[in-house]
Amino acid sequence: MSYVAPVKDMLFNIEHVARIDQIAQLPGFEDAGLDTAQAVLEEAAKFNEGVLSPLNWEGDKNPSAWNKGVVTATAGFKEAFKQFADAGWQGLQHPTEYGGQGLPKTIGSVCGEMQNSANMSFALCPLLSDGAIEALLTAGSDELKATYLEKLISGQWTGTMNLTEPQAGSDLAMVRTRAEPQADGTFKVFGTKIYITWGEHDMAENIVHLVLARVQGAPEGVKGISLFVVPKFMVKADGSLGQRNDVHCVSIEHKMGIKASPTAVLQYGDHGGAVGYLVGQENRGLEYMFIMMNAARYGVGVQGIAIAERAYQKAAQFSRDRVQSRPVDGSMNSSAPIIHHPDVRRMLMTMRAYVQGCRALASVAASAFDAAHHHPDAAARKEHQAFYEFMVPLVKGFSTEMSLEVTSLAVQVHGGMGFIEETGVAQYYRDAKILTIYEGTTAIQANDLVGRKTSRDGGQTAKAIAAQVATTVADLRQSGSADALAMAKRLDAARAALVEVIDFVAGNTKASPNAVFSGSVPYLMLAGNVMAGWQMARSMLAAEQSLAKGQDAEFMKAKITTARFYADHILTKAPGLRDSIVEGADSVTAMALDAF
């Protein structure tokens, strides 16, 4: 089954949840209103449905291949990437001064969702380039920007992130790659980096590696890490490519999923040292890399939504086609398509509600990002930035954990046929698993939520957001419809559970860290559930208003029904999570270590 981009749902979010009308009033975004969004999304849908989606299964069956240091992408990928770059998709939300289109993240993020639904392995390449572009825009010198940004934004070159080493996974304090200063102001880089997504390939002329390394004499730990640009090919003064730099791919990994995306082991400096250029100031590399990581973490959350959408579409189509057993209500005398069975309907509604809730959550986070960067008022920028930063671990952590449940349900809807690779649905399940791991595991997102986003300010930001949820609860009650009142009841109970947990986390992180961190991932799942449920409540209200005006009745009724299902079946998990976090910490760490 081919992928069909959910353009109508995306535009609904852009209009009613992300409020594109307000984004279009910000300096620089005057031409980025709803009409622009619709035109861009429709073009994106054509490209992703027609070009990237047909290559997805091929990439799973015939992955990228390594031979003597050369990595060849799956057949068709190189040509597709040229089309992608030529059409300007890489530069969609990057500055016009470097050749980008300067569109808001509110529009760009849903185009990213389409790319990842169509072909997640392919979409990883531009996602990493986006991170490299963000880091250079923020911390790069004028010279580095002039040398690299235009080519990265055009898609002529691609970018990578190089953090991980054999002995240094998520603990970047253990990074040992070293950088030796040279008389000409460059550095020679030596070391091994692993798990480098699209670290070597044949789809672009050059690859721009952003590499964490230690300058000789730097302090130990994370305070002694610097960031370097290390190009695959040296760049001459006129912008043309020169000799090969001393960075080589010694192998690529054999993986469970995203097989077409080469995950490289890169060796720096085996032949005298790779030439690197310092980004920003020495020993501030982790700070700069976090810019890339935050961009990538949001992007990975969108990947979760994307793969879940693809799995939902496949399961829904299969359930209409697969005939098996009579309906339990006796409405048919013969075997029927399985979509008639209540449990199949429950699974499909669970998938649909999760996907739409997380999509709306990502959309409102993107609009906050745009306001944080473009709003003329400094206080408003700060407020939107705090909101966005709170949402990033939720978009990443909750949406990717959600994608595992949804892709698993998609296999379940297929029954035994889902376990057979030829059906195609198993690929989504396998591809989804990496999303809860890379760019920081779910526990790392939860640590961020507990430490930086909740405890640091005593829970003020979190509680201010919870107060916004309370306003929506009041709006639901004012609506007075049966669906709105049901949503109000569930959302208010979930909000109350969240506030209790925020107080518990803010009040106990320093005094009882084990108690708080025992429930850190459940806290993230609770917060993600409530925030996505909040956006579904806002969607319900918007759909009710549109329905009253006679606008697209079928779509609006489906939106209201999906939101009601979210309230009844997903938001209802919140109070139980509150109990396990606040009252269940002791049993997490009670077992003696040698009893495991």
Side-chain angles (χ1 to χ4, degrees):
M1 180 211 142
S2 58
Y3 164 67
V4 178
V7 172
K8 190 177 284 190
D9 196 60
M10 291 169 167
L11 285 171
F12 176 91
N13 286 331
I14 286 173
E15 181 177 4
H16 298 291
V17 178
R19 296 301 306 273
I20 192 73
D21 58 330
Q22 295 177 9
I23 299 296
Q25 291 172 18
L26 298 174
F29 290 152
E30 293 87 354
D31 297 326
L34 188 61
D35 289 345
T36 298
Q38 182 167 348
V40 172
L41 265 60
E42 287 173 354
E43 280 303 308
K46 287 178 193 172
F47 177 78
N48 289 293
E49 292 168 1
V51 178
L52 295 190
S53 181
L55 293 170
N56 189 48
W57 197 14
E58 181 62 28
D60 192 57
K61 292 186 296 180
N62 295 295
S64 297
W66 179 92
N67 183 32
K68 297 179 180 176
V70 175
V71 175
T72 306
T74 300
F77 271 48
K78 185 175 182 177
E79 295 75 12
F81 191 80
K82 186 174 189 315
Q83 286 181 256
F84 174 85
D86 288 349
W89 292 114
Q90 183 72 67
L92 197 68
Q93 62 190 62
H94 296 303
T96 53
E97 63 185 293
Y98 297 105
Q101 295 176 50
L103 288 174
K105 191 181 187 82
T106 303
I107 296 174
S109 64
V110 288
C111 294
E113 185 196 320
M114 288 188 213
Q115 290 164 25
N116 281 285
S117 284
N119 194 324
M120 200 162 86
S121 285
F122 179 98
L124 275 163
C125 190
L127 188 151
L128 270 297
S129 291
D130 281 340
I133 291 163
E134 291 282 349
L136 287 173
L137 282 169
T138 305
S141 65
D142 290 343
E143 187 178 355
L144 286 178
K145 289 176 182 176
T147 304
Y148 294 101
L149 277 177
E150 200 168 307
K151 299 282 178 62
L152 283 168
I153 285 171
S154 73
Q156 194 174 342
W157 300 348
T158 65
T160 71
M161 293 167 63
N162 283 233
L163 291 77
T164 309
E165 299 177 9
Q167 81 293 341
S170 299
D171 185 359
L172 295 174
M174 297 176 69
V175 163
R176 291 288 171 261
T177 296
R178 72 183 195 278
E180 298 178 357
Q182 305 297 301
D184 62 359
T186 65
F187 290 77
K188 288 287 184 74
V189 178
F190 301 87
T192 304
K193 294 289 184 178
I194 63 171
Y195 299 156
I196 310 306
T197 301
W198 287 100
E200 177 59 34
H201 61 83
D202 62 345
M203 299 201 306
E205 296 170 9
N206 201 7
I207 304 173
V208 182
H209 303 295
L210 269 74
V211 184
L212 286 184
R214 291 181 186 283
V215 179
Q216 286 175 309
E220 285 296 309
V222 294
K223 292 182 179 177
I225 299 173
S226 298
L227 182 64
F228 299 88
V229 164
V230 184
K232 175 181 173 180
F233 289 100
M234 302 300 293
V235 183
K236 297 178 183 176
D238 64 0
S240 64
L241 296 182
Q243 66 187 41
R244 178 71 186 260
N245 205 353
D246 188 9
V247 49
H248 298 278
C249 177
V250 296
S251 65
I252 58 174
E253 307 295 350
H254 302 280
K255 299 173 296 187
M256 173 179 174
I258 55 166
K259 293 184 176 183
S261 163
T263 300
V265 177
L266 296 181
Q267 188 66 37
Y268 290 85
D270 266 6
H271 306 283
V275 178
Y277 305 89
L278 181 67
V279 177
Q281 298 175 16
E282 280 187 32
N283 304 327
R284 291 181 66 185
L286 199 61
E287 176 188 335
Y288 305 143
M289 188 61 87
F290 259 107
I291 297 161
M292 296 181 71
M293 287 171 67
N294 256 342
R297 283 174 176 180
Y298 177 91
V300 172
V302 171
Q303 288 187 307
I305 299 161
I307 200 77
E309 170 68 32
R310 185 82 187 252
Y312 165 68
Q313 288 189 20
K314 192 163 184 65
Q317 183 61 53
F318 181 84
S319 68
R320 286 190 287 266
D321 296 338
R322 175 67 167 168
V323 174
Q324 196 91 132
S325 304
R326 294 180 181 181
V328 293
D329 62 359
S331 58
M332 298 173 72
N333 289 325
S334 59
S335 294
I338 61 172
I339 200 167
H340 287 271
H341 304 317
D343 190 60
V344 173
R345 300 272 286 276
R346 178 193 62 81
M347 288 190 283
L348 292 174
M349 285 301 298
T350 301
M351 298 164 80
R352 180 187 181 97
Y354 266 132
V355 170
Q356 291 192 12
C358 288
R359 178 180 294 129
L361 177 63
S363 202
V364 82
S367 68
F369 176 92
D370 290 329
H373 287 74
H374 289 264
H375 202 287
D377 181 67
R381 288 197 302 273
K382 185 178 180 183
E383 187 179 328
H384 286 294
Q385 183 67 22
F387 182 93
Y388 175 73
E389 288 183 355
F390 187 84
M391 293 299 161
V392 167
L394 306 185
V395 170
K396 201 286 187 186
F398 184 69
S399 300
T400 60
E401 291 289 347
M402 172 278 289
S403 75
L404 283 182
E405 183 172 345
V406 168
T407 53
S408 176
L409 285 171
V411 174
Q412 190 73 16
V413 167
H414 283 72
M417 294 176 77
F419 202 68
I420 307 302
E421 286 290 353
E422 284 75 8
T423 316
V425 72
Q427 182 190 349
Y428 308 140
Y429 192 28
R430 288 186 285 100
D431 284 355
K433 182 58 234 179
I434 189 59
L435 303 179
T436 63
I437 298 170
Y438 63 20
E439 301 309 333
T441 61
T442 308
I444 287 172
Q445 309 307 317
N447 289 354
D448 179 39
L449 181 66
V450 167
R452 292 187 187 91
K453 309 297 164 62
T454 305
S455 297
R456 184 176 286 179
D457 71 352
Q460 286 184 323
T461 298
K463 290 174 91 167
I465 295 169
Q468 293 182 52
V469 178
T471 301
T472 301
V473 170
D475 293 341
L476 289 161
R477 288 174 177 150
Q478 191 172 354
S479 161
S481 71
D483 289 318
L485 291 173
M487 172 61 91
K489 177 184 175 183
R490 301 303 186 194
L491 183 58
D492 201 37
R495 181 201 58 79
L498 177 61
V499 169
E500 284 191 56
V501 172
I502 292 166
D503 285 336
F504 172 76
V505 169
N508 292 282
T509 301
K510 286 185 178 176
S512 308
N514 281 348
V516 170
F517 284 95
S518 291
S520 60
V521 169
Y523 170 37
L524 183 148
M525 297 304 288
L526 168 61
N529 184 347
V530 177
M531 292 301 114
W534 174 30
Q535 303 316 316
M536 288 302 279
R538 294 179 64 217
S539 299
M540 176 188 276
L541 288 166
E544 284 188 345
Q545 290 166 8
S546 297
L547 194 59
K549 296 173 187 172
Q551 297 171 347
D552 204 345
E554 186 181 345
F555 176 85
M556 297 304 167
K557 286 177 182 175
K559 178 61 75 175
I560 292 165
T561 301
T562 305
R564 174 67 187 267
F565 180 93
Y566 195 107
D568 291 343
H569 296 270
I570 300 174
L571 272 176
T572 46
K573 298 178 181 181
L577 282 169
R578 175 261 166 220
D579 294 348
S580 69
I581 297 162
V582 176
E583 299 169 17
D586 289 348
S587 58
V588 175
T589 54
M591 185 79 76
L593 294 179
D594 57 6
F596 283 98

